[in-house]
Amino acid sequence: MKIITISREFGSGGRELGKRLSDSMGLPYYDREIITAIAQKNSLDENYVESALEKGVIGSMPLTFGRTFTFAPVMPYDTTSLLIEQQKVVKKLAQKGDCIIVGRNADVILEQYNPLKIFVYADMDAKLKRCMERSKEEEPLKPQDMQKKIKQIDKARSNHHAMLAKTPWGNKAGYHLCINTTGLEIKNLASVVADYANFWFHEGEQE
Amino acid sequence: MKIITISREFGSGGRELGKRLSDSMGLPYYDREIITAIAQKNSLDENYVESALEKGVIGSMPLTFGRTFTFAPVMPYDTTSLLIEQQKVVKKLAQKGDCIIVGRNADVILEQYNPLKIFVYADMDAKLKRCMERSKEEEPLKPQDMQKKIKQIDKARSNHHAMLAKTPWGNKAGYHLCINTTGLEIKNLASVVADYANFWFHEGEQE
C-alpha cells in the first residue's frame, strides 16, 4: 500500500507539491474532497467546514490542553466534532487504496498503513512571497497581516495535531522526509520527490 | 560552488551517506582529514583531538551557556581551542572548491557559500541497531550503555553548534533537507539524495 501524507507550513507549497506528485506518480490526491464529504454528510456549508477546520479549536476548547483534556460544552458542529468527522473520512479514503493526502492529520490517522510522511516547510520570507502572490487574486492582505495569518493557521494545525499525536507537528522525528522549499520551484521539486517516494516504498518492501 | 554539509545524529548513517554521495557525485569528501590537519598543526595525537571534539565542551566550560559566555581558564588545547582550529581547517578546505563535509559545524561555518545543508536522523531503535552492529568490531557495549553514548555524543554536537548558530542543532529550520534513515539502506539512499542535490544546485543557478 502506497500512501503519502504531506504535512506543511502554510505558504510553503505543500498543497501544490501534493497535486503535482499525484500527477507524476499516478496516485489519487485528496484534499477538497475531504471538506466536501464532511459538509455533505452533515448538511453544512463547505466554506464553513473549511474555515472551522482551518481556524482551529481555540474558542471551543480550553486554551491550554495536552493529550488529555476535558471537553468544553460541545456545540453540534464545533471544530472538535468536525475533526472527528474528518478522521472518519480520511480513513475511508485510505481504504480505497494508494493515495496522497495533504494535511488533515492524515500522518497520524493513517499510521497503521505506514505511509511515507513528508513535511514541507520554508523560510518566512519565502512563504510570505508565495502567499502575497496568491492573494492578489483573492482578498489582498498587507504583508504584516499575511504573516499573522500564516502563523495563526500553523498554530491551529499544530493544535489539531497535538490532539492526536505525542510528537509535535513539524518535529522532524514524526516524519520520514522534511523538505525546505525556499528558493525551489514546486513543479521541478515534484519529480525528485516522486523518485524519493518510489525509492522509499521499494526499500520498505525489501524488509 | 557545490558544497554539501551533512549534519547527523550519531548512528543514523550520516557519515556513510557522505562517503557514498562523494563517490556517486564525484566530489571530495572531508572527514578524518580535518582531525588529521588539526592534530598535525598542533602536534597533538589524532585520537586525542577526535575524542576532545566528540566528547564536547563539558568540563572545560561552564555547564550552562548560551551564545555569550565567559571562558573558564583555558588550557592550551582544550575543546574550545580545538573547535576554533576546526573552523579554520573547514574554511581552508572549502576554498579548494566543491566538496562534501560531514559534521564539524560546516553548515554554519560555510554559510557564505550557500551549501546544501542536509540533516540525517533516525529512530533510536534504528540508531542503536546500527551502532551495536558496528561496535562488534570495536569495544562491545551493552545496549543501554550504547544508548547513553548516542545521547551524550549528540548532546556535545548540539552544544558545539549552539556556540556558533542561533538555530538549534537538528532543528529543521536550519537545513534544506532532513532525512529519516530508519529502515533504509544507506547505499540505496545515496543515489536518490545525489539526484536531489543535483536538482537543488540546479535550481539555485536559475535564480
Side-chain angles (χ1 to χ4, degrees):
Chain A
M1 184 104 156
K2 289 182 187 179
I3 294 183
I4 301 176
T5 65
I6 300 183
S7 312
R8 78 293 184 214
E9 290 178 354
F10 187 74
S12 68
R15 175 175 285 183
E16 187 187 338
L17 179 63
K19 272 186 219 162
R20 291 188 182 272
L21 266 185
S22 157
D23 289 342
S24 65
M25 298 182 74
L27 297 179
Y29 163 82
Y30 303 124
D31 177 12
R32 189 78 201 175
E33 291 80 352
I34 297 168
I35 301 290
T36 309
I38 298 169
Q40 283 180 351
K41 201 171 154 195
N42 298 280
S43 312
L44 289 167
D45 177 66
E46 280 195 27
N47 291 329
Y48 170 77
V49 172
E50 186 172 32
S51 152
L53 286 171
E54 193 169 77
K55 292 213 180 108
V57 292
I58 294 147
S60 65
M61 301 284 296
L63 274 176
T64 333
F65 58 88
R67 294 201 70 198
T68 55
F69 52 85
T70 47
F71 278 84
V74 171
M75 299 294 289
Y77 296 107
D78 70 341
T79 306
T80 312
S81 313
L82 291 175
L83 284 169
I84 293 165
E85 280 297 330
Q86 185 172 269
Q87 282 192 47
K88 290 184 198 162
V89 172
V90 167
K91 277 184 188 163
K92 265 202 179 157
L93 287 172
Q95 279 159 10
K96 289 193 195 175
D98 299 353
C99 62
I100 296 174
I101 301 184
V102 172
R104 314 285 158 215
N105 287 324
D107 56 326
V108 189
I109 298 169
L110 303 179
E111 191 80 67
Q112 68 194 96
Y113 298 106
N114 192 24
L116 170 60
K117 296 184 278 187
I118 297 178
F119 192 90
V120 178
Y121 63 108
D123 298 350
M124 180 53 87
D125 285 351
K127 292 187 287 189
L128 206 49
K129 189 167 166 258
R130 181 174 275 116
C131 289
M132 291 307 290
E133 277 164 11
R134 203 195 296 156
S135 90
K136 275 182 210 155
E137 301 146 27
E138 303 160 19
E139 10 91 82
L141 276 183
K142 282 184 214 151
Q144 63 264 42
D145 293 331
M146 184 59 89
Q147 186 161 339
K148 219 181 268 176
K149 187 182 168 187
I150 292 172
K151 287 184 180 170
Q152 188 192 342
I153 291 179
D154 282 353
K155 182 74 192 142
R157 288 177 181 172
S158 175
N159 285 344
H160 292 168
H161 194 268
M163 293 171 70
L164 300 176
K166 212 163 64 179
T167 308
W169 179 83
N171 182 320
K172 68 182 187 310
Y175 307 93
H176 298 108
L177 189 68
C178 303
I179 305 168
N180 187 334
T181 60
T182 307
L184 305 180
E185 287 281 347
I186 304 295
K187 68 172 191 290
N188 302 333
L189 175 64
S191 83
V192 283
V193 176
D195 290 343
Y196 193 94
N198 286 323
F199 152 75
W200 192 88
F201 287 117
H202 185 261
E203 285 277 295
E205 286 159 11
Q206 305 304 302
E207 275 183 40
Chain B
M1 185 105 157
K2 289 183 187 179
I3 293 184
I4 301 176
T5 65
I6 300 183
S7 311
R8 76 294 184 213
E9 290 178 353
F10 188 74
S12 66
R15 175 175 284 185
E16 187 187 338
L17 178 63
K19 272 186 221 162
R20 291 188 181 272
L21 266 184
S22 157
D23 289 342
S24 65
M25 296 181 74
L27 296 179
Y29 162 83
Y30 303 124
D31 177 12
R32 189 78 200 174
E33 291 80 354
I34 297 168
I35 301 291
T36 308
I38 299 169
Q40 284 179 351
K41 200 172 155 197
N42 298 280
S43 311
L44 289 167
D45 179 64
E46 280 195 26
N47 290 329
Y48 169 77
V49 173
E50 184 171 34
S51 153
L53 286 171
E54 193 169 78
K55 292 213 178 106
V57 291
I58 294 147
S60 65
M61 300 286 295
L63 274 174
T64 330
F65 59 86
R67 295 200 71 199
T68 55
F69 51 85
T70 47
F71 280 85
V74 171
M75 300 293 290
Y77 296 107
D78 70 340
T79 306
T80 312
S81 313
L82 291 175
L83 284 168
I84 292 165
E85 281 297 329
Q86 185 170 268
Q87 283 191 47
K88 290 183 197 161
V89 172
V90 167
K91 277 183 187 165
K92 264 202 179 157
L93 287 172
Q95 279 159 9
K96 289 194 196 174
D98 299 353
C99 63
I100 297 174
I101 302 185
V102 172
R104 315 283 159 215
N105 287 324
D107 55 326
V108 189
I109 298 169
L110 302 179
E111 192 81 65
Q112 68 194 96
Y113 298 105
N114 193 22
L116 169 60
K117 297 184 276 186
I118 297 179
F119 192 90
V120 178
Y121 63 107
D123 298 350
M124 180 52 88
D125 286 351
K127 292 187 286 189
L128 206 48
K129 191 166 165 260
R130 180 173 275 117
C131 290
M132 291 308 290
E133 277 164 12
R134 203 195 296 157
S135 90
K136 272 182 210 154
E137 301 147 24
E138 302 160 19
E139 11 89 82
L141 277 183
K142 281 184 215 151
Q144 63 265 42
D145 292 331
M146 184 60 88
Q147 186 161 339
K148 219 181 268 176
K149 188 184 168 187
I150 292 172
K151 287 183 180 171
Q152 189 193 344
I153 291 178
D154 282 353
K155 182 74 191 144
R157 287 176 180 173
S158 174
N159 285 346
H160 292 168
H161 194 267
M163 292 171 70
L164 300 177
K166 212 163 66 179
T167 308
W169 180 83
N171 182 320
K172 68 182 187 309
Y175 308 93
H176 298 109
L177 189 68
C178 303
I179 305 169
N180 187 335
T181 60
T182 307
L184 305 180
E185 287 281 348
I186 303 295
K187 68 173 189 291
N188 303 333
L189 175 64
S191 82
V192 283
V193 176
D195 290 344
Y196 193 94
N198 285 325
F199 151 75
W200 192 88
F201 286 116
H202 186 261
E203 285 277 296
E205 286 158 10
Q206 305 303 302
E207 275 183 42

